Amino acid sequence: AGTSTINGALTTAAGSTLRVLADGNCGGATLTVRDGFTNQGRIELTSAICANSATLNVSNGTLTNAAGGTIASLTGAGGPRTLNARLDNQGTIDVAAGSILALNSGSLLNLNAGVLTGGTYRIAGTFQFPNANIVTSAASIVLDGTGSRIINQLGADALANLAVIAAGGSLSLQNGRTLATAGNLNNS
C-alpha cells in the first residue's frame, strides 16, 4: 500500500505478476508508471483487510495488454479499482464479481466509432470506461452473472445498442446473465 512511481522502463514478462495491493494497515495503493509499456504477464488491482482503492496510472504513452497478458480487477476486501491510462487490449481484461474496474482519465483504444476490437473482456463485475457504446463487437465478451456489466462514465449500459457480433467476435452470457438490446442482434 502507499504510492510508488516507476520513472524508467517497465517490462512485464509472460508468467510475471505486477500487483497493486491496497491494505487496511496503510490504506490505498497507487502505482504510477511514467511511460507506456507492454504487459505480457498479469497485472492485478486488489485490496486486503479493508476496502481501499488500488490504482494504476500510466502517465505517457499507451499501456498495451498483449495477447496472453491479463489485467485483473480482483474483489479482495473491496474498494475501487482504477486504471488511468490509454489502454490497448489484445489480451484479457478480467473483472471479478463484486469488483468495479474504472478506466477514468484515459481511453480504451479498442473502441472506435462504436466498434470494439481486440482481446477478451471477461466481466463478472463492472467494467466502466469513457464513451462506452458498443454497437459492433469483433472482440470476445463474456458476461458472467447477473451483476456483470459494461458501462460508460455516466453508468449507461455500453451494450444497449449492440447490433452486430462481427467475424472473430463472440458474446457469451453465463450464470443467469441476460441481455436486452435496442434492436436486432446479428451474429456474422
Side-chain angles (χ1 to χ4, degrees):
T3 301
S4 297
T5 302
I6 298 173
N7 288 316
L10 174 63
T11 302
T12 60
S16 69
T17 299
L18 173 64
R19 184 174 295 121
V20 181
L21 173 65
D23 74 31
N25 296 318
C26 297
T30 300
L31 174 62
T32 299
V33 179
R34 183 187 65 196
D35 296 319
F37 66 98
T38 298
N39 174 49
Q40 297 183 44
R42 182 174 174 87
I43 296 173
E44 294 181 349
L45 303 172
T46 191
S47 64
I49 303 172
C50 292
N52 285 309
S53 63
T55 302
L56 174 61
N57 300 315
V58 178
S59 302
N60 302 300
T62 299
L63 167 55
T64 300
N65 191 40
T70 298
I71 297 174
S73 175
L74 305 177
T75 306
R81 309 287 178 258
T82 306
L83 185 58
N84 295 314
R86 290 173 34 99
L87 176 62
D88 178 5
N89 181 43
Q90 301 304 316
T92 300
I93 301 295
D94 191 355
V95 182
S99 177
I100 299 171
L101 176 60
L103 180 59
N104 285 342
S105 58
S107 59
L108 181 63
L109 300 178
N110 301 82
L111 183 65
N112 186 10
V115 178
L116 181 67
T117 60
T120 298
Y121 301 84
R122 195 170 46 223
I123 312 299
T126 300
F127 182 38
Q128 179 180 29
F129 60 95
N131 305 312
N133 181 27
I134 303 166
V135 177
T136 299
S137 178
S140 174
I141 300 173
V142 178
L143 298 174
D144 188 358
T146 58
S148 61
R149 59 195 187 131
I150 301 173
I151 59 174
N152 70 15
Q153 70 276 16
L154 302 174
D157 184 353
L159 297 172
N161 296 312
L162 183 64
V164 176
I165 306 297
S170 65
L171 174 64
S172 175
L173 304 175
Q174 301 175 354
N175 296 313
R177 179 60 155 95
T178 60
L179 180 68
T181 60
N184 293 334
L185 180 58
N186 296 310
N187 190 10
S188 300

